[in-house]
Amino acid sequence: MQATLSALLTVKSKILKSLMIDGQECSQASYVCLYEGEIHGTGIVATLPFGIEEQIYGIERFSGNIGEKSGTFVLENYGYSEIEEGKTIKKIVPGSGTNDFLGIKGDITLVSAKDKKVNIAVQLEFDTKLTKED
């Protein structure tokens, strides 16, 4: 099954830390993403210092529902940020799905202009050989 679904992503509870690495200031953040719509759930994100301020790398654990399916999976987040807008690509880590999300694949691309709420399109596919049997 391959599908394009939509959701409203809201960033909540952002905690930002500055770290000095090799004499350069780098940012590390932790935050919660709320997904509402055809995908409904919570993502807990931790970003890692990348060394270049405009680049972002992080890992996210999603827990929630997609239609009648429920479970968890892990997203790898990477992208860049600028003063006015940024772009992030979130890719589902292969093999990370649990419960009804076994065999899930896909990605999310989002562009944001400093807003903590953004509409997203999610490309999903389930490998039927790996899905849970009823």
Side-chain angles (χ1 to χ4, degrees), residues 55-71:
Q55 294 182 341
I56 300 164
Y57 178 81
I59 201 84
E60 174 177 356
R61 180 182 180 271
F62 173 86
S63 177
N65 302 300
I66 300 172
E68 298 293 316
K69 296 178 184 275
S70 66

Side-chain angles (χ1 to χ4, degrees), residues 14 52-56 79-88 110-115:
K14 188 169 185 175
I52 301 171
E53 200 61 35
E54 296 83 26
Q55 294 182 341
I56 300 164
Y80 65 89
S81 65
E82 295 177 356
I83 293 171
E84 289 301 317
E85 73 175 53
K87 180 177 181 179
T88 302
L110 59 103
V111 177
S112 176
K114 286 188 171 181
D115 199 354

